[in-house]
Amino acid sequence: DLIEAGISGITAIFDFFLASVNEKLSTSQFLNFDKKTDLVKRAIDALSAAMASEERTWLGRDAAKVIVDAFLPGRGYEDSLFRHLISEGILAEDRMPLAPGQGVDIVHFAYERFGDHLFAKDLLQRVVKSTPPEDPFMTDGFVGRLITESNASRNNKGVLDALSIQVPETLGKELIELIPSIADRGAVKDAFLQSLLFRDYAALRESTHSYVKQITANVPWYFRFLDTILLVASVPQHRYNARFLH
């Protein structure tokens, strides 16, 4: 089957991966649990929600272990869900430096793009529940802080890429409509152009085209736009397919 465009398509890829790991770990050869309980995805969703609540793409190792092993309690470390999610390459352990000679053990998603999209999805679920929903995008809002602070859009590039796809799909607006101050940043323009390849076709609106025109007024960005849309030239439903170039 063809993968859908947009976060639904991206999510389908991730869900397929998680389902395959869930099926493997459920067997008696590994952790021997009922695969229909979908423990792997539930544990990952819980981790992602905790990260979004902390507004960062990692958790302390001990906190992450508690969250994951709550889904399959009473096991030793070797037979724990936590250890197997690491061995299967879903989670990765790292050490974050603090003061010289000091650090903290952390856990993050091994596939950065996977983690960024989960993180963005959970952030936007919080946004939808906010009143009004635009407030989190203010400079001091929990989304705005990730992007508007000095060097934030560069340091959080993966999250910016994910938000550039998911904000138009979830909220019906471009990210730069909610945070106009970032519209001229190179990292934001780059994330926007990349989002044209992956977002749902229904999320290509007039506001999208307005920002395209704003970006392509600059000659180097015009050619970057052309390089981008050549990749969707053969997609019949895409606004920027070959017909757009005629």
Side-chain angles (χ1 to χ4, degrees):
D1 294 338
L2 292 176
I3 297 296
E4 294 179 62
I7 186 58
S8 58
I10 294 169
T11 301
I13 296 171
F14 295 152
D15 284 352
F16 178 80
F17 171 54
L18 294 181
S20 66
V21 173
N22 187 79
E23 183 167 2
K24 175 182 176 180
L25 295 184
S26 71
T27 63
S28 57
Q29 184 181 353
F30 291 95
L31 296 179
N32 194 27
F33 61 83
D34 181 358
K35 71 177 181 181
K36 292 183 179 180
T37 58
D38 209 8
L39 291 188
V40 170
K41 186 175 189 306
R42 288 165 58 203
I44 293 307
D45 285 345
L47 276 181
S48 177
M51 291 177 186
S53 178
E54 296 286 336
E55 299 177 20
R56 60 194 185 197
T57 56
W58 55 270
L59 289 176
R61 184 184 186 277
D62 290 344
K65 186 176 185 301
V66 168
I67 290 171
V68 171
D69 284 343
F71 290 91
L72 195 65
R75 306 290 183 101
Y77 178 70
E78 286 300 312
D79 294 323
S80 69
L81 182 59
F82 179 73
R83 186 188 81 80
H84 279 79
L85 292 186
I86 292 171
S87 66
E88 292 297 323
I90 295 176
L91 301 179
E93 297 181 279
D94 209 340
R95 188 159 180 83
M96 178 173 288
L98 299 175
Q102 295 182 327
V104 60
D105 292 325
I106 67 168
V107 168
H108 56 85
F109 292 112
Y111 295 97
E112 187 176 357
R113 185 179 179 87
F114 172 62
D116 290 336
H117 274 284
L118 286 178
F119 181 73
K121 186 176 181 180
D122 279 305
L123 278 182
L124 292 180
Q125 287 176 352
R126 290 177 61 193
V127 168
V128 170
K129 297 175 183 176
S130 301
T131 306
E134 288 83 1
D135 281 358
F137 292 91
M138 302 290 286
T139 302
D140 59 349
F142 61 80
V143 178
R145 283 194 298 270
L146 293 169
I147 299 172
T148 59
E149 292 178 0
S150 178
N151 295 323
S153 57
R154 186 181 304 109
N155 295 339
N156 295 317
K157 184 181 182 307
V159 175
L160 176 60
D161 289 345
L163 288 171
S164 296
I165 294 170
Q166 294 191 41
V167 166
E169 294 185 1
T170 304
L171 302 179
K173 294 184 178 182
E174 293 298 328
L175 184 59
I176 56 101
E177 292 182 84
L178 297 168
I179 316 178
S181 62
I182 65 173
D184 290 330
R185 296 186 184 181
V188 173
K189 294 177 182 178
D190 184 63
F192 169 78
L193 290 181
Q194 289 300 307
S195 79
L196 301 181
L197 301 177
F198 299 107
R199 68 170 73 178
D200 190 285
Y201 308 137
L204 297 166
R205 302 179 176 86
E206 286 308 311
S207 57
T208 312
H209 194 56
S210 294
Y211 192 40
V212 165
K213 289 191 289 186
Q214 179 181 330
I215 290 175
T216 55
N218 175 283
V219 172
W221 282 103
Y222 172 75
F223 284 108
R224 290 183 70 169
F225 170 67
L226 289 182
D227 287 343
T228 300
I229 64 173
L230 284 174
L231 298 174
V232 294
S234 61
V235 180
Q237 309 97 310
H238 204 286
R239 175 169 185 158
Y240 298 110
N241 62 21
R243 288 192 297 272
F244 173 80
L245 296 172
H246 287 170

mmCIF file of all heavy atoms in Angstrom, residues 10 29 35-36 46 51 56 60 69 94 130 146 150 157 163 178 195 206 243:
data_model
loop_
_atom_site.group_PDB
_atom_site.id
_atom_site.type_symbol
_atom_site.label_atom_id
_atom_site.label_comp_id
_atom_site.label_asym_id
_atom_site.label_seq_id
_atom_site.Cartn_x
_atom_site.Cartn_y
_atom_site.Cartn_z
ATOM 1 N N ILE A 10 3.588 9.522 8.040
ATOM 2 C CA ILE A 10 4.793 9.385 8.861
ATOM 3 C C ILE A 10 4.493 8.514 10.068
ATOM 4 O O ILE A 10 5.260 7.621 10.431
ATOM 5 C CB ILE A 10 5.296 10.779 9.296
ATOM 6 C CG1 ILE A 10 5.761 11.574 8.069
ATOM 7 C CG2 ILE A 10 6.431 10.664 10.308
ATOM 8 C CD1 ILE A 10 6.033 13.028 8.346
ATOM 9 N N GLN A 29 10.166 -16.389 23.418
ATOM 10 C CA GLN A 29 11.622 -16.298 23.291
ATOM 11 C C GLN A 29 12.166 -15.026 23.933
ATOM 12 O O GLN A 29 13.332 -14.952 24.321
ATOM 13 C CB GLN A 29 12.009 -16.353 21.816
ATOM 14 C CG GLN A 29 13.511 -16.361 21.565
ATOM 15 C CD GLN A 29 13.825 -16.399 20.081
ATOM 16 O OE1 GLN A 29 12.935 -16.539 19.253
ATOM 17 N NE2 GLN A 29 15.105 -16.274 19.750
ATOM 18 N N LYS A 35 0.536 -9.835 22.817
ATOM 19 C CA LYS A 35 0.878 -8.789 21.855
ATOM 20 C C LYS A 35 -0.278 -7.821 21.622
ATOM 21 O O LYS A 35 -0.062 -6.669 21.215
ATOM 22 C CB LYS A 35 1.335 -9.389 20.527
ATOM 23 C CG LYS A 35 0.253 -10.043 19.693
ATOM 24 C CD LYS A 35 0.820 -10.534 18.368
ATOM 25 C CE LYS A 35 -0.252 -11.169 17.494
ATOM 26 N NZ LYS A 35 0.297 -11.664 16.209
ATOM 27 N N LYS A 36 -1.511 -8.251 21.896
ATOM 28 C CA LYS A 36 -2.655 -7.377 21.674
ATOM 29 C C LYS A 36 -2.728 -6.228 22.675
ATOM 30 O O LYS A 36 -3.470 -5.268 22.464
ATOM 31 C CB LYS A 36 -3.951 -8.189 21.702
ATOM 32 C CG LYS A 36 -4.089 -9.148 20.526
ATOM 33 C CD LYS A 36 -5.421 -9.874 20.542
ATOM 34 C CE LYS A 36 -5.544 -10.803 19.339
ATOM 35 N NZ LYS A 36 -6.838 -11.533 19.332
ATOM 36 N N ALA A 46 3.779 7.035 26.340
ATOM 37 C CA ALA A 46 3.932 7.583 27.688
ATOM 38 C C ALA A 46 5.241 8.345 27.833
ATOM 39 O O ALA A 46 5.290 9.419 28.449
ATOM 40 C CB ALA A 46 3.851 6.458 28.724
ATOM 41 N N MET A 51 8.132 13.641 27.938
ATOM 42 C CA MET A 51 9.106 14.559 27.352
ATOM 43 C C MET A 51 8.456 15.883 26.979
ATOM 44 O O MET A 51 9.008 16.959 27.233
ATOM 45 C CB MET A 51 9.758 13.914 26.126
ATOM 46 C CG MET A 51 10.677 12.753 26.437
ATOM 47 S SD MET A 51 11.347 11.997 24.921
ATOM 48 C CE MET A 51 12.212 10.574 25.601
ATOM 49 N N ARG A 56 11.335 18.926 26.538
ATOM 50 C CA ARG A 56 12.657 18.515 26.066
ATOM 51 C C ARG A 56 12.537 17.137 25.439
ATOM 52 O O ARG A 56 11.569 16.409 25.685
ATOM 53 C CB ARG A 56 13.665 18.503 27.212
ATOM 54 C CG ARG A 56 13.302 17.564 28.351
ATOM 55 C CD ARG A 56 14.127 17.842 29.586
ATOM 56 N NE ARG A 56 13.850 16.871 30.635
ATOM 57 C CZ ARG A 56 14.164 17.047 31.907
ATOM 58 N NH1 ARG A 56 14.773 18.154 32.283
ATOM 59 N NH2 ARG A 56 13.887 16.099 32.804
ATOM 60 N N GLY A 60 15.596 11.834 32.141
ATOM 61 C CA GLY A 60 16.582 11.164 32.971
ATOM 62 C C GLY A 60 16.372 9.661 32.892
ATOM 63 O O GLY A 60 15.239 9.182 32.810
ATOM 64 N N ASP A 69 8.874 0.523 32.478
ATOM 65 C CA ASP A 69 8.695 -0.766 33.173
ATOM 66 C C ASP A 69 7.363 -0.866 33.905
ATOM 67 O O ASP A 69 6.966 -1.970 34.297
ATOM 68 C CB ASP A 69 9.867 -1.004 34.132
ATOM 69 C CG ASP A 69 11.130 -1.431 33.399
ATOM 70 O OD1 ASP A 69 11.008 -1.841 32.230
ATOM 71 O OD2 ASP A 69 12.225 -1.346 33.981
ATOM 72 N N ASP A 94 22.389 7.806 26.929
ATOM 73 C CA ASP A 94 23.463 8.769 26.696
ATOM 74 C C ASP A 94 23.821 9.392 28.041
ATOM 75 O O ASP A 94 23.141 9.152 29.045
ATOM 76 C CB ASP A 94 23.018 9.840 25.702
ATOM 77 C CG ASP A 94 24.178 10.414 24.900
ATOM 78 O OD1 ASP A 94 25.333 10.289 25.349
ATOM 79 O OD2 ASP A 94 23.918 10.975 23.831
ATOM 80 N N SER A 130 -5.269 24.337 24.912
ATOM 81 C CA SER A 130 -5.025 25.666 25.472
ATOM 82 C C SER A 130 -6.103 26.639 25.025
ATOM 83 O O SER A 130 -6.727 26.474 23.977
ATOM 84 C CB SER A 130 -3.654 26.191 25.023
ATOM 85 O OG SER A 130 -2.620 25.329 25.432
ATOM 86 N N LEU A 146 10.757 27.105 22.336
ATOM 87 C CA LEU A 146 11.595 26.150 21.601
ATOM 88 C C LEU A 146 12.149 26.738 20.306
ATOM 89 O O LEU A 146 13.097 26.199 19.738
ATOM 90 C CB LEU A 146 10.786 24.890 21.275
ATOM 91 C CG LEU A 146 10.364 24.024 22.450
ATOM 92 C CD1 LEU A 146 9.364 22.982 21.988
ATOM 93 C CD2 LEU A 146 11.572 23.360 23.084
ATOM 94 N N SER A 150 17.192 32.730 21.394
ATOM 95 C CA SER A 150 18.434 32.811 20.620
ATOM 96 C C SER A 150 18.951 31.421 20.252
ATOM 97 O O SER A 150 19.121 30.562 21.121
ATOM 98 C CB SER A 150 19.493 33.556 21.440
ATOM 99 O OG SER A 150 20.714 33.612 20.744
ATOM 100 N N LYS A 157 16.289 21.996 15.545
ATOM 101 C CA LYS A 157 15.929 21.884 14.133
ATOM 102 C C LYS A 157 14.959 20.731 13.868
ATOM 103 O O LYS A 157 14.015 20.873 13.091
ATOM 104 C CB LYS A 157 17.179 21.705 13.271
ATOM 105 C CG LYS A 157 16.873 21.687 11.773
ATOM 106 C CD LYS A 157 18.118 21.493 10.941
ATOM 107 C CE LYS A 157 17.780 21.535 9.454
ATOM 108 N NZ LYS A 157 16.706 20.606 9.055
ATOM 109 N N LEU A 163 7.271 20.436 13.507
ATOM 110 C CA LEU A 163 6.209 21.430 13.686
ATOM 111 C C LEU A 163 5.797 22.058 12.358
ATOM 112 O O LEU A 163 4.620 22.379 12.155
ATOM 113 C CB LEU A 163 6.654 22.521 14.660
ATOM 114 C CG LEU A 163 6.737 22.121 16.132
ATOM 115 C CD1 LEU A 163 7.389 23.233 16.947
ATOM 116 C CD2 LEU A 163 5.364 21.780 16.690
ATOM 117 N N LEU A 178 1.674 31.974 13.240
ATOM 118 C CA LEU A 178 1.550 31.980 14.689
ATOM 119 C C LEU A 178 2.744 32.641 15.364
ATOM 120 O O LEU A 178 2.615 33.180 16.469
ATOM 121 C CB LEU A 178 1.380 30.545 15.192
ATOM 122 C CG LEU A 178 0.105 29.845 14.702
ATOM 123 C CD1 LEU A 178 0.165 28.353 14.990
ATOM 124 C CD2 LEU A 178 -1.121 30.461 15.355
ATOM 125 N N SER A 195 8.898 20.755 4.517
ATOM 126 C CA SER A 195 7.552 20.322 4.901
ATOM 127 C C SER A 195 6.647 20.155 3.689
ATOM 128 O O SER A 195 5.684 19.384 3.738
ATOM 129 C CB SER A 195 6.931 21.324 5.878
ATOM 130 O OG SER A 195 6.414 22.475 5.215
ATOM 131 N N GLU A 206 -3.572 28.772 0.768
ATOM 132 C CA GLU A 206 -3.160 30.063 0.211
ATOM 133 C C GLU A 206 -2.085 30.712 1.072
ATOM 134 O O GLU A 206 -1.179 31.371 0.561
ATOM 135 C CB GLU A 206 -4.368 30.994 0.060
ATOM 136 C CG GLU A 206 -5.278 30.624 -1.094
ATOM 137 C CD GLU A 206 -4.522 30.469 -2.409
ATOM 138 O OE1 GLU A 206 -3.725 31.382 -2.750
ATOM 139 O OE2 GLU A 206 -4.687 29.438 -3.077
ATOM 140 N N ARG A 243 2.537 20.491 -13.114
ATOM 141 C CA ARG A 243 1.634 21.494 -13.686
ATOM 142 C C ARG A 243 1.940 22.893 -13.155
ATOM 143 O O ARG A 243 1.769 23.880 -13.848
ATOM 144 C CB ARG A 243 0.179 21.129 -13.393
ATOM 145 C CG ARG A 243 -0.343 19.934 -14.186
ATOM 146 C CD ARG A 243 -1.858 19.800 -14.086
ATOM 147 N NE ARG A 243 -2.275 19.554 -12.713
ATOM 148 C CZ ARG A 243 -2.373 18.352 -12.170
ATOM 149 N NH1 ARG A 243 -2.095 17.279 -12.901
ATOM 150 N NH2 ARG A 243 -2.751 18.200 -10.909
#
